[in-house]
Amino acid sequence: MTAFPAAALPDSNDPYVYMEEIEGPRAMAFAVAENARSLPQLQNDPRYAGLYDQALAIATAKDRITAVGFAGDGTLRNFWQDAEHVRGILRSTTLESYRTGKPQWRTILDIDALAKAEGKNWVWKEADCLAPDDRFCLLSLSDGGKDAVEVREFDIQTGQFVKGGFALPEGKHRFTWVDADTLAVATEWTKGEVTTSGYPYVIKLLKRGQALADAVEVFRGKADDGGYGVSPFALRDADGKLQALIAHRPLDTFNAEHHLIGPAGATRLPIPLRSSIQGLIDGQMILTLEEDWTARDGKSGDLLAMDLAGLKTDAATVKPVLVLRPTASQAVEQVATTRNRLIVALYDNVKGGVVSFQHGPRGWTSTKLDLPQDVSVGVASASDRDDRLILQISGFLTPSTQVLADAASGATETLRTLPARFDASKEVVEQHWAVSKDGTKVPYFLVRPKDLKFDGAAPTLLYAYGGFQVSLTPAYAATVGKLWLERGGVYAIANIRGGGEFGPRWHEAGLKLNRQRVYDDFFAVSQDLIARKITSPNKLGIMGGSNGGLLMGVALTQRPELYKAVVIQVPLFDMIGYTHIGAGASWVGEYGDPAIPAERAVIDTYSPYQNLAKGQPYPRVFLETSTKDDRVHPAHARKAAARLKELGYDYLYYENIDGGHAAAANLNETAKRQALEYTYLIQQLMD
């Protein structure tokens, strides 16, 4: 059992502390009983079956856009799920075949067949392949959707696991290829050798055929490190040759050291603790700043380049070169590299674009790609063989489009356009701004009927997240459109502080002692929807998951009079005890430490679990979690439900026995969760 600091031990006065035993008999009995009580209230609704069928049809549709990516062997690879492949298949095709619209796919690995053969509930996580040809891959497979994975080496060419190849037993591993016969691995090498939040802090080099016990240590953090544990990563040139092996050592959620691992040991790179290494292009290490770098005239949000050869020989003398400084309305959302180009997804007022940078004798020059306006643009894949990109372009009412782009010439070619999943002809998208308690203007998107009567009677669903510098950008609302908009509902997405919509500053404004700003922003958007007579408290519902689930809990306890429906997905809820529950200690950089009096005082004001009280106008809430969630522990939702029950409130609760942090282990489970949610929302807001 992991030893926790005394200040972070479970509260002996908490009557529901037994919920923290993830599969303890009492906790599981509670979950089973709550499912048996709640699910019939939703699944017996005559509308549930239709909602489930619609959600499943969208989730498993074979005419979905295939999320292909460039592989080093010149093919396009894809992980695909549908009604026949619920767990999914890894497959490949050629670009020429893909362009035809009816590609000839080669199945590489069938996860459904593997799960059946091995009697396991395998959930696909990822494949980490060895450049430059990407033939040999380390496959991460999760039992039921947990973050902990089993890792096996797989040969793409033969379609077989490598006999005697690299293999790691189930754990929260961090790894990268060094060369064909060497891995850099961070894992729980010795039982209990993990941080207080359950992540590894020791990196070793593991040779092919070598026992785990014989791996050689090359870097060690500390047991009280925060974040998601130490991890190795490789910087490679466009030909796949390793140029640097780096240890990322998080001190807390956002502050981290970066160490260059060499033959003589590890040397810390002289870059700010709040900075992120994004890649390597033309010998230049690319990084983004999440804080000001005063000594180097760097500003939070900057995109910088540093000469890697210089960093290896005399790091202290290397000066960063400014590649891009976003304006106050801009944010760098994504960074990628092709063979010769640095690619930046740059957003302005939460609307996307792509800029291509080239490094030359005169420094950095840039070109903006000619793409649609007022949409989201994401880089799905970037080729190391040339300068091609695969972009995903999407708007709330505009079906997603997959575009092949040349980052050098700017040429674009549409590969796929998603068929419409709902009738959007009667809808319109608007961007509005609410004014928060401290005067800050907060944007939000609104999707509503063109002929909406502004009488406060529209059933409205408001979604938000507000944390960890995660941005909510326009995305095609397929399921929302079919299950909600077509029924006359209104949908809103709040871009509140805590997110990254305006770069690191937007995130920093809601950290720790300033956390209430995030919640005030959300209430301001809620009140703006009411003030515009779009909706009213009796017709306003809200939804959020994980950190967004915490937001929902705060909204429930601080402003229950504003809402008639609250969907609380895989939430944080007990913020006084969160550092000892699951991976909670890794998020101290976001929320603060309840063991520190000044930070505890702020957390006390908003922690939903402790602030639930009798005699409040709470609506009937819907709590969701997953037994297999080893990131945000199901104890948070369980304890919330138990406390609501104790206080005599009506509520609904669903705990998926599988599913991990996504609360769904496969497409059927995803459709079930969505149908449950929208049945609840229709009952609360439309009946």
Side-chain angles (χ1 to χ4, degrees):
M1 179 177 177
T2 302
F4 295 98
L9 289 172
D11 181 0
S12 59
N13 295 318
D14 182 354
Y16 305 115
V17 70
Y18 68 88
M19 300 287 197
E20 296 173 16
E21 187 178 352
I22 198 161
E23 295 190 78
R26 289 181 69 192
M28 291 306 300
F30 175 85
V32 170
E34 287 296 307
N35 282 351
R37 180 189 66 84
S38 297
L39 290 180
Q41 297 183 54
L42 298 173
Q43 291 179 317
N44 290 343
D45 187 305
R47 294 163 295 198
Y48 170 81
L51 291 167
Y52 174 80
D53 289 343
Q54 290 175 331
L56 186 63
I58 290 172
T60 61
K62 293 192 175 183
D63 58 357
R64 283 174 291 145
I65 291 180
T66 307
V68 292
F70 295 108
D73 60 2
T75 65
L76 297 177
R77 291 184 191 165
N78 160 253
F79 182 73
W80 177 258
Q81 294 171 289
D82 58 26
E84 286 76 44
H85 308 95
V86 176
R87 299 177 189 276
I89 54 174
L90 180 65
R91 60 186 189 173
S92 68
T93 189
T94 65
L95 177 58
E96 291 70 24
S97 181
Y98 188 71
R99 276 187 168 122
T100 67
K102 295 183 178 180
Q104 298 297 310
W105 291 103
R106 173 198 167 217
T107 297
I108 299 170
L109 178 64
D110 185 327
I111 304 299
D112 295 83
L114 180 69
K116 183 178 180 180
E118 299 186 349
K120 291 289 189 73
N121 184 17
W122 286 133
V123 174
W124 170 269
K125 285 293 185 177
E126 64 179 350
D128 184 346
C129 302
L130 177 63
D133 59 3
D134 296 332
R135 173 179 172 178
F136 294 99
C137 301
L138 301 171
L139 304 189
S140 294
L141 300 170
S142 164
D143 181 10
K146 295 181 288 187
D147 281 359
V149 296
E150 182 177 312
V151 179
R152 304 183 198 172
E153 186 180 2
F154 188 82
D155 184 343
I156 296 291
Q157 185 171 304
T158 64
Q160 301 290 325
F161 288 102
V162 177
K163 188 175 181 180
F166 288 112
L168 301 175
E170 184 179 79
K172 293 185 177 180
H173 313 296
R174 308 288 183 263
F175 53 84
T176 190
W177 292 94
V178 175
D179 56 42
D181 295 310
T182 314
L183 303 182
V185 180
T187 192
E188 187 176 1
W189 297 100
T190 303
K191 186 67 175 176
E193 192 179 54
V194 291
T195 65
T196 51
S197 47
Y199 293 97
Y201 62 89
V202 177
I203 299 175
K204 296 184 180 183
L205 295 184
L206 180 67
K207 293 290 186 179
R208 183 173 296 280
Q210 189 176 42
L212 291 176
D214 296 328
V216 177
E217 182 175 321
V218 291
F219 184 81
R220 176 176 290 264
K222 294 183 178 179
D224 60 357
D225 286 348
Y228 290 120
V230 69
S231 59
F233 68 93
L235 288 178
R236 300 181 184 276
D237 61 23
D239 294 319
K241 184 178 179 182
L242 180 72
Q243 298 299 318
L245 180 63
I246 295 174
H248 175 262
R249 179 201 173 196
L251 305 179
D252 60 27
T253 318
F254 304 107
N255 292 282
E257 297 175 352
H258 292 86
H259 296 257
L260 189 64
I261 298 175
T267 304
R268 183 181 166 189
L269 291 172
I271 59 178
L273 293 178
R274 293 203 63 185
S275 60
S276 301
I277 297 175
Q278 300 286 356
L280 182 70
I281 182 79
D282 195 27
Q284 304 298 300
M285 185 181 79
I286 307 300
L287 70 155
T288 48
L289 297 183
E290 285 84 50
E291 66 176 349
D292 289 349
W293 191 0
T294 307
R296 298 296 193 188
D297 298 321
K299 299 293 183 183
S300 180
D302 282 356
L303 181 68
L304 304 175
M306 300 182 75
D307 182 68
L308 182 59
L311 288 171
K312 289 180 178 179
T313 55
D314 189 2
T317 64
V318 178
K319 294 183 179 180
V321 174
L322 180 67
V323 180
L324 171 66
R325 175 163 292 165
T327 67
S329 64
Q330 293 178 328
V332 173
E333 275 293 317
Q334 195 177 358
V335 179
T337 58
T338 62
R339 188 169 190 84
N340 305 297
R341 297 277 175 154
L342 172 64
I343 310 302
V344 177
L346 183 66
Y347 278 62
D348 198 331
N349 281 328
V350 206
K351 298 167 185 176
V354 172
V355 183
S356 170
F357 291 87
Q358 184 175 27
H359 183 249
R362 297 184 180 181
W364 294 89
T365 55
S366 66
T367 304
K368 186 174 182 179
L369 272 62
D370 185 15
L371 298 169
Q373 303 297 305
D374 299 330
V375 293
S376 288
V377 181
V379 181
S381 185
S383 174
D384 288 333
R385 294 161 62 98
D386 48 40
D387 292 316
R388 290 181 297 180
L389 305 167
I390 295 176
L391 305 176
Q392 194 82 2
I393 299 173
S394 179
F396 291 111
L397 302 179
T398 308
S400 302
T401 300
Q402 186 181 60
V403 172
L404 179 68
D406 190 306
S409 69
T412 60
E413 171 192 347
T414 298
L415 293 174
R416 295 284 190 279
T417 298
L418 184 74
R421 299 302 191 208
F422 66 98
D423 181 7
S425 64
K426 300 176 183 178
E427 308 292 328
V428 64
V429 178
E430 299 170 337
Q431 186 179 42
H432 296 295
W433 297 75
V435 180
S436 194
K437 187 175 181 179
D438 64 1
T440 300
K441 291 184 176 181
V442 180
Y444 67 95
F445 289 103
L446 181 71
V447 187
R448 64 167 179 85
K450 294 175 182 176
D451 61 354
L452 178 71
K453 294 179 180 179
F454 292 90
D455 57 4
T460 300
L461 174 61
L462 172 61
Y463 184 86
Y465 185 78
F468 295 92
Q469 205 171 317
V470 173
S471 303
L472 297 184
T473 59
Y476 186 55
T479 304
V480 176
K482 193 67 182 176
L483 277 59
W484 187 249
L485 295 178
E486 279 196 350
R487 292 175 177 266
V490 171
Y491 183 52
I493 301 90
N495 302 118
I496 58 181
R497 282 175 287 186
E501 286 87 347
F502 298 107
R505 68 177 181 87
W506 201 241
H507 173 229
E508 292 161 4
L511 288 178
K512 294 187 177 182
L513 300 180
N514 295 319
R515 199 70 190 176
Q516 187 61 40
R517 291 175 179 170
V518 175
Y519 310 131
D520 288 341
D521 287 1
F522 186 71
F523 302 145
V525 173
S526 303
Q527 290 169 308
D528 198 69
L529 287 166
I530 295 167
R532 292 177 186 272
K533 295 188 177 180
I534 292 163
T535 192
S536 60
N538 202 45
K539 291 290 186 178
L540 180 55
I542 55 177
M543 179 189 288
S546 191
N547 171 75
L550 168 61
L551 171 64
M552 298 300 104
V554 175
L556 175 69
T557 52
Q558 289 191 1
R559 298 299 303 273
E561 77 282 0
L562 288 177
Y563 311 108
K564 185 63 182 295
V566 185
V567 181
I568 306 176
Q569 305 163 315
V570 291
L572 284 148
F573 218 84
D574 178 3
M575 296 306 293
I576 298 303
Y578 86 96
T579 54
H580 74 261
I581 303 173
S586 63
W587 307 316
V588 167
E590 179 81 12
Y591 304 113
D593 188 345
I596 298 173
E599 296 178 358
R600 166 69 177 256
V602 173
I603 296 171
D604 270 331
T605 65
Y606 71 78
S607 180
Y609 182 54
Q610 285 76 20
N611 281 286
L612 287 171
K614 289 184 177 180
Q616 301 301 309
Y618 297 156
R620 180 178 70 153
V621 303
F622 182 22
L623 284 152
E624 299 174 292
T625 190
S626 169
T627 308
K628 295 294 188 182
D629 189 346
D630 53 351
R631 193 180 315 168
V632 177
H633 197 295
H636 285 281
R638 293 169 178 171
K639 291 164 76 172
R643 182 71 174 143
L644 286 168
K645 183 177 183 178
E646 173 195 330
L647 296 171
Y649 291 104
D650 185 18
Y651 65 92
L652 296 170
Y653 180 92
Y654 170 52
E655 181 167 328
N656 184 13
I657 305 304
D658 293 313
H661 194 46
N666 56 56
L667 296 180
N668 293 335
E669 285 289 345
T670 298
K672 177 181 177 180
R673 176 178 57 79
Q674 291 170 337
L676 292 170
E677 290 168 349
Y678 284 96
T679 300
Y680 161 79
L681 289 167
I682 290 167
Q683 289 178 352
Q684 293 295 109
L685 303 178
M686 291 184 173
D687 287 351

